[in-house]
Amino acid sequence: MPAPTSPADLFRHSLRLLLDKDIPAWVALWAEDGVMEFPFAPDGWPRHLEGKEAVAAYMRHYPDHIDLHDFPELRIHQTTDPRTIVVEMRGVGRLVESDAPFDMTYIAVVTVRDGHFTSYRDYWNPLAVQEPGADFTGSSR
């Protein structure tokens, strides 16, 4: 079954893939030249990932560290650009290493072209990575 092409539907589909821990399928939703940005990333964490391969490397071990259970409170806002949405959501689950609860609020600005993510600016809370087991990027902090 092909992935949805509208930005909102593609985003919802991507969340289902994250809950299924299907990172390869999640990465397949990206354009080859897609860019992922983290404006609030703390020192030692990436702020800018350029290209599908960089996004794949960043997300490769995500399920080994964060076990997502749900994305409650999902709100997707249309913008004046039909290719761009603004997303508000929570991701809840647990940190695999410590079994501590995981509860993160996100705001993302996402742009889709031809059914693939081309830009994803993720405004997540950098204080959350201070929890043991949250460091899935391999940062040396």
Side-chain angles (χ1 to χ4, degrees), residues 18-30:
L18 288 176
L19 291 173
D20 292 343
K21 297 166 185 39
D22 191 345
I23 300 304
W26 187 86
V27 170
L29 301 178
W30 281 80

Side-chain angles (χ1 to χ4, degrees), residues 23-98:
I23 300 304
W26 187 86
V27 170
L29 301 178
W30 281 80
E32 289 299 325
D33 61 349
V35 174
M36 192 169 203
E37 298 174 280
F38 307 96
F40 297 147
D43 290 341
W45 281 66
R47 293 181 190 273
H48 184 91
L49 303 170
E50 192 149 344
K52 184 187 238 178
E53 289 303 315
V55 171
Y58 176 79
M59 290 295 292
R60 184 167 291 122
H61 299 291
Y62 188 92
D64 298 332
H65 299 278
I66 299 173
D67 178 19
L68 289 170
H69 297 165
D70 195 10
F71 289 100
E73 303 173 28
L74 175 66
R75 290 185 294 279
I76 299 175
H77 307 278
Q78 298 300 139
T79 69
T80 56
D81 179 346
R83 300 171 305 164
T84 301
I85 56 175
V86 174
V87 178
E88 298 176 86
M89 67 179 183
R90 278 179 55 220
V92 296
R94 68 180 182 89
L95 297 175
V96 173
E97 181 181 310
S98 66

